[in-house]
Structure formats: C-alpha cells, structure tokens
Amino acid sequence: MSQADGAGANAPITQDVMTIPRKVPAGPVNLVGLTRPALREALLEIGTPEKQAKMRVNQLWQWIYHWGVRDFDKMTNLAKDFRAKLAENFVIDLPEIVSKNVSADGTRKYLVRIAGGHEVEVVYIPETDRGTLCISSQVGCTLTCSFCHTGTQKLVRNLTAGEIVGQIMLARDDLDEWPEPGTGTGENGPRLLSNIVLMGMGEPLYNFDNVRDAMKIAMDGEGIALSRRRITLSTSGVVPEIAKTAEEIGCLLAVSFHATTDEVRDKLVPINKRWNIETLLAALKEYPRLSNSERITFEYVMLKDVNDSDADARRLVKLISGIPAKINLIPFNEWPGAPYQRSDWSRIEAFADIVYKAGYASPIRTPRGEDIMAACGQLKSATERARKSRAQIAAESGL
C-alpha cells in the first residue's frame, strides 16, 4: 500500500463537527473589524448627528488603521465630549499575543489568543524585497487534507473580521511599523509588512464574509493601505465562492492543487470529492477576467512517490493550459506522525524543469521557519496540541 492510500483516503470532505456558535459578548462594541458602513451605523446609534457621521468615520478610521492608536483620549482632532462618548460605548481591542518564536532565518511565529480562549498561529516571513504575513481565518480547519498538520485540528469556529484584521495590526505593533505623527504611509521607506497571504489556519472561503470585510479594511487607502495585488488568498477549491472572491475582494488567488488526477487529489485534498479538478479549473479560468487579476498561483506540495513523477509534471502543464499561472512547488514540511515524506531534491528539480520548459514560472519555495514549526502545513495551535475536548473549549468560552 502506498503512503497516499492509507492517509486520508476515506477522510470526510469537511470535519464532522459544527463550529461552536459564538455569542456576541455584552458590553462595548469593538470598532476593529467594522467596515465603513458598519462604523457609520454604530456612530449613528450613539447619537452622532447624521451630517457629521461621514467625517467622524474618516477620523476614526485614520486613527485606528493609519496611526494604530487604541486610546480615544489620544484622538486629538475629536472634541473631548465626543471622545468620552466613544469611550463609554466602544473599545479598540486586538487579539492577544501569547508567545512569539523567532526562527534562525528571521521568521516570526506568533501564537495569538482570541475571544473564548482559542488560539491561532500567525507567521511573519521577512525577505529582501518584501515582508509577508501569513494570517489565519479559522480556529482549526474545515478541511482534512491528509498532508497538512493544521488539517488534523478540528474546526472550532470562524474568526471574525476584527480577529482577522487584528492579526495584521498585532504584527505591525511587533514590527513597530505604525507611522510617526506627521508622516505619510510610504515615507518611512519600504514596508516591513508589505504583503498578506491568507494561508494560515483554516479555509478562507468557508469564512467568506468575515475574510472579505477584513481584506476591504486592509486595502482601504486611508488606513493599512495594502494594494489588492499584495494580498493573496489561498483556497483548496471552494468553487462556488471563487467568482465571489473575484468580484467582492479582487485580490490574487492561490489554489492548493497538489495532484494531477482526481484519484490522488481525493486523498490529498478531500474537498476534491465535491468539486473535482475539471470543475475547479473551469472556475479558475474565469478568475483573472472577473478580478482583473494577474496569474493564479498553483500550490503543489512535493510528496515522495505520491505526486512527484515526470508524468505528473506533464499532466499538470496540460491541465492548466490556457490559465495565466505560476506553479509554486513546496517541499513537504514534515511534522510528527506525518504520513508522507518530502520528495528528493533531485526529483523536485526535475519536476520544476518540466514545468519551466513548458513556459510556466516554477519557483521551489524555500522552507522557512521549520525549526519553530512555522512552515507551510505545520501550523497547529497549542490549544489543540494540549488536546482539549470540545466540551472543555465550550465551557471555557462560557457557551
């Protein structure tokens, strides 16, 4: 029996657990994660005159997302009585950094605690020409991809828009990257945090509304101001949401592809049983046109004797014909108890060569942060490592 046969062959398409419904906590409303229209509504509800609402939204937006200010008293262009009213009704809260590990290569992995005591992992990867933050969209994961450590953690719940954008803000705190008063966004030189990838824990397209709202906040030019071309959303292939992503977010798209036949992809990425390779590729062909986007990135994890043959490389090239694409080859990042092994380096290079000669960029991703379990497919929160039961998590959440 090959390694692929025993691992995940009969895995369910989605976990057999429901997300724990989250009660909206009583008390002040957190402004982090509210879209501009939602922020306007919140201000009207506390008695802000309608004529002032748009101006107040702009002022608060800049304080929170451009300057990174969390204290209403420091928002000096707002009247004192208005600041007091804001403080009575609202908070500006981020998730909490529980721990930070720094890899030998400079990669930073944050363990971040969100409401209910759940934890997610966030990874910052510094490079010479960019700094990429890998953020999470769910606690655990809806999917059961057999090669992924994160996929062995049952889904607990979707993150809110505030918890998603809060990860970006936390990293900017840690990197000390909020602009000094009186300076514009680009005046402090190149950004340390210049790119976002939704490739952390979870399937972003199973939490579409919150991911969309968080990314709209991140892309807003008067705040964090990241271009949509600097945000990449990675999906395992939730086909119905792909066109919506193009139209409502418009960011770059990456697809966890990993196999060239339905038989192998069913085992590696069980969502393939619901939307097979042919259905997925049909949706992907439309994406660049709908989103005015560039190439789609096909992520392909290299698993020894499973999906790494010359025949696989040739099939891959044939499958993606007609789609503007690049192939990101990912040497498998091993984790304790993993059912697979990394392909030999010579095999990865031979595979890359076939793809490259067919006219596609085929970079081999340098594994980053392996020494702190921060590499692709290795993220898994300490909560799950401690094997807390569903009942324990619910009890701790006060649910």
Side-chain angles (χ1 to χ4, degrees):
M1 186 169 79
S2 77
Q3 288 172 311
D5 292 334
N10 300 308
I13 296 168
T14 56
Q15 294 281 8
D16 57 350
V17 294
M18 297 290 288
T19 56
I20 296 175
R22 181 160 181 261
K23 293 175 184 171
V24 177
V29 172
N30 187 10
L31 296 185
V32 176
L34 296 185
T35 59
R36 282 181 180 267
L39 179 54
R40 182 179 182 277
E41 283 305 309
L43 292 178
L44 291 174
E45 277 180 27
I46 65 161
T48 307
E50 196 146 348
K51 285 183 180 174
Q52 290 182 19
K54 185 178 179 185
M55 176 184 71
R56 295 298 186 214
V57 166
N58 287 340
Q59 289 170 322
L60 276 167
W61 196 271
Q62 287 175 8
W63 282 116
I64 296 169
Y65 297 117
H66 179 76
W67 303 111
V69 169
R70 317 271 151 79
D71 181 349
F72 294 114
D73 277 341
K74 292 183 179 167
M75 300 182 179
T76 48
N77 61 349
L78 302 177
K80 257 189 173 174
D81 59 340
F82 185 60
R83 281 183 260 162
K85 189 176 258 194
L86 290 171
E88 271 172 41
N89 292 278
F90 303 120
V91 290
I92 300 169
D93 276 349
L94 300 189
E96 168 199 356
I97 293 180
V98 178
S99 65
K100 177 175 85 172
N101 290 324
V102 182
S103 167
D105 63 20
T107 298
R108 303 182 186 200
K109 181 171 78 168
Y110 308 99
L111 181 65
V112 172
R113 185 172 292 137
I114 58 171
H118 311 303
E119 291 159 349
V120 295
E121 291 186 334
V122 183
V123 179
Y124 172 72
I125 304 157
E127 296 173 79
T128 49
D129 59 341
R130 67 177 67 189
T132 301
L133 190 71
C134 178
I135 62 177
S136 294
S137 56
Q138 295 178 314
V139 184
C141 190
T142 328
L143 303 176
T144 51
C145 301
S146 58
F147 58 87
C148 179
H149 200 209
T150 316
T152 64
Q153 175 177 346
K154 287 185 177 182
L155 178 68
V156 177
R157 73 166 170 85
N158 286 334
L159 269 59
T160 65
E163 289 163 347
I164 296 168
V165 80
Q167 295 170 56
I168 304 170
M169 297 168 76
L170 277 181
R172 295 197 81 190
D173 286 355
D174 188 56
L175 295 165
D176 193 22
E177 205 182 16
W178 298 102
E180 292 293 321
T183 59
T185 297
E187 290 174 35
N188 292 332
R191 282 194 166 194
L192 294 173
L193 199 170
S194 62
N195 291 63
I196 299 290
V197 292
L198 282 144
M199 296 182 186
M201 294 165 62
E203 164 56 69
L205 296 190
Y206 276 141
N207 187 16
F208 181 84
D209 289 355
N210 288 318
V211 166
R212 175 201 60 213
D213 288 353
M215 291 307 100
K216 282 192 177 298
I217 291 167
M219 292 186 285
D220 189 291
E222 293 189 359
I224 296 167
L226 288 169
S227 148
R228 66 186 181 82
R229 294 183 186 276
R230 289 191 172 271
I231 296 172
T232 302
L233 184 150
S234 176
T235 179
S236 294
V238 185
V239 166
E241 306 297 326
I242 288 174
K244 270 175 74 177
T245 303
E247 289 159 358
E248 296 184 34
I249 306 175
C251 60
L252 301 185
L253 192 71
V255 181
S256 295
F257 204 64
H258 309 310
T260 59
T261 67
D262 283 324
E263 183 188 7
V264 176
R265 197 166 191 266
D266 282 353
K267 292 168 187 170
L268 296 181
V269 189
I271 196 176
N272 196 70
K273 296 172 189 173
R274 186 167 294 171
W275 297 292
N276 66 10
I277 289 174
E278 184 183 357
T279 308
L280 174 59
L281 290 173
L284 295 178
K285 279 184 173 133
E286 289 297 298
Y287 191 88
R289 180 183 65 79
L290 290 172
S291 65
N292 191 26
S293 185
E294 297 166 347
R295 298 176 297 183
I296 288 173
T297 299
F298 285 80
E299 295 164 319
Y300 198 95
V301 66
M302 300 299 293
L303 302 170
K304 187 172 185 174
D305 300 330
V306 175
N307 64 353
D308 62 352
S309 68
D310 285 357
D312 279 307
R314 285 191 282 269
R315 260 196 307 272
L316 179 61
V317 165
K318 199 170 176 183
L319 283 169
I320 65 171
S321 174
I323 300 175
K326 80 167 182 179
I327 319 298
N328 211 348
L329 300 178
I330 306 167
F332 175 59
N333 297 308
E334 298 188 22
W335 40 271
Y340 301 105
Q341 292 174 296
R342 178 180 291 182
S343 300
D344 296 334
W345 200 253
S346 58
R347 182 91 297 277
I348 297 174
E349 288 183 327
F351 192 104
D353 193 52
I354 290 170
V355 174
Y356 177 73
K357 283 178 176 161
Y360 293 97
S362 56
I364 300 167
R365 185 184 291 172
T366 308
R368 299 291 300 269
E370 283 187 290
D371 54 331
I372 56 169
M373 287 287 286
C376 270
Q378 289 186 324
L379 301 189
K380 188 165 177 178
S381 76
T383 308
E384 173 64 15
R385 290 196 190 105
R387 287 287 175 199
K388 290 184 183 177
S389 71
R390 183 177 160 77
Q392 276 176 296
I393 293 169
E396 287 168 13
S397 309
L399 303 174

